[in-house]
Amino acid sequence: MTVLSPMLMPWTALVDYRLPAIGAVATATALHRRLVSLAAIDRAPGLWSQDGGSSLLRAALFAVRGDHASLPLDRRIVAIGIHVRAHRWLADVHDGAHLVEGGSEMGLFAADEVDLACPECGHLVAMGGEEGASVEEALSVWTEGSEMAPLVCPACGGWTPLPHWRSAGHGFACGELAVTLWGAHLRELIDPAPDTPARLLRTALGDAQGRFAAVFGRG
């Protein structure tokens, strides 16, 4: 079993912000099985070490099988995480892992400091700034289980669900399902004309249409 320490490790997340909660578990389960069949991940959730102890990663942390991986993964990628909001992975003897309700997964993926851009007018709302109270309220509603968590733009008054808000530097997204690639910021995934490996990678991770929101962070 591979023990990883993701402290300050760069990561790239692909967030499906359109998927409703009712379909997230089935979609994540199918993705897990497909990646296992491609020999891209191990069957069971990996463990990571922090402060000398081991614990299940907040979603599922899977070790990539280096030279045996069938996917065009960047050599800097050391693990893949599959996240479903309000669920956690448990190892089992049949499928390797399955999702159960509970856990601390909130479906939020963000860099340390980001400005959110209104989908309607492009106005930037800074987290922690003078207009940040509305962002904090929307985040609170989202973490309580809402699928909408509307955020009102202080500039145009637009009433838009939080999952549709973005940051200019690809520093924020939220959704019911996401895939995290630990080890690097894969900027090629946001290229308007991605090369074949990037396109294949998105497709293998369930994003055949290239619609998932990309987030780059460290943690």
Side-chain angles (χ1 to χ4, degrees):
M1 181 176 294
T2 301
V3 178
L4 301 172
S5 179
M7 296 300 291
L8 300 180
M9 181 181 291
W11 50 261
T12 299
L14 290 176
V15 183
D16 188 349
Y17 64 95
R18 302 184 180 193
L19 182 69
I22 194 172
V25 171
T27 302
T29 300
L31 174 60
H32 168 243
R33 292 175 180 174
R34 183 166 70 251
L35 292 180
V36 169
S37 72
L38 290 172
I41 61 175
D42 292 327
R43 293 178 67 247
L47 298 178
W48 66 298
S49 178
Q50 184 177 35
D51 298 329
S54 294
S55 62
L56 283 172
L57 192 60
R58 59 192 177 91
L61 187 61
F62 298 106
V64 176
R65 297 177 178 176
D67 296 336
H68 302 291
S70 301
L71 299 179
L73 288 173
D74 189 296
R75 289 296 180 183
R76 296 167 294 170
I77 299 301
V78 298
I80 300 176
I82 303 175
H83 312 265
V84 176
R85 185 165 70 133
H87 287 75
R88 58 192 174 92
W89 290 92
L90 287 181
D92 64 48
V93 297
H94 301 291
D95 298 316
H98 68 276
L99 285 159
V100 297
E101 293 184 359
S104 59
E105 185 60 67
M106 295 187 295
L108 293 171
F109 299 85
D112 291 337
E113 296 182 4
V114 295
D115 295 336
L116 300 189
C118 173
E120 301 293 333
C121 70
H123 176 72
L124 296 179
V125 181
M127 289 187 179
E130 294 181 358
E131 300 173 337
S134 58
V135 178
E136 295 298 330
E137 181 178 354
L139 289 173
S140 177
V141 173
W142 173 264
T143 56
E144 290 174 358
S146 170
E147 291 189 51
M148 297 287 288
L151 175 56
V152 179
C153 175
C156 70
W159 190 89
T160 311
L162 186 62
H164 291 275
W165 285 68
R166 295 288 175 272
S167 63
H170 292 274
F172 172 85
C174 67
E176 300 291 343
L177 170 67
V179 180
T180 300
L181 303 172
W182 291 90
H185 292 159
L186 300 182
R187 298 285 177 178
E188 54 267 44
L189 291 179
I190 59 173
D191 192 312
D195 60 14
T196 298
R199 190 183 302 276
L200 288 176
L201 179 55
R202 271 191 177 266
T203 299
L205 297 176
D207 187 21
Q209 302 300 319
R211 296 177 178 175
F212 288 11
V215 181
F216 306 111
R218 289 182 179 273

